[in-house]
Amino acid sequence: MSESYMRIGSLLVLIWLVIGVIAAGQRHYFDSGPVNCAGFSTIAVTIIAGPLNYMGVNPKIADCNVPQPSS
């Protein structure tokens, strides 16, 4: 019985993420987004938000500070 729950849960997560990818595509993040950390982060949080995008959530990352490697 737990195997069927895992399959249903995996299917729900997959559907959630596909809806997020569709939302990011409708916002044209894949064709015209800036190629930097903030742009990639905005795409990622939009995909993770999934169906919440259609309920008014519009996640955006304005700035992203990535630590530089030591020299």
Side-chain angles (χ1 to χ4, degrees):
M1 185 173 278
S2 69
E3 184 178 324
S4 63
Y5 287 135
M6 292 204 35
R7 286 184 186 204
I8 291 171
S10 298
L11 182 63
L12 289 175
V13 168
L14 180 65
I15 292 170
W16 182 279
L17 294 176
V18 166
I19 292 171
V21 168
I22 292 169
Q26 288 176 340
R27 293 179 180 167
H28 303 286
Y29 288 162
F30 297 121
D31 8 287
S32 63
V35 184
N36 59 21
C37 179
F40 289 125
S41 299
T42 298
I43 292 171
V45 295
T46 300
I47 292 172
I48 292 169
L52 298 177
N53 289 292
Y54 297 105
M55 293 183 221
V57 174
N58 189 11
K60 289 192 178 199
I61 308 296
D63 191 20
C64 185
N65 295 323
V66 180
Q68 299 298 319
S70 60
S71 47

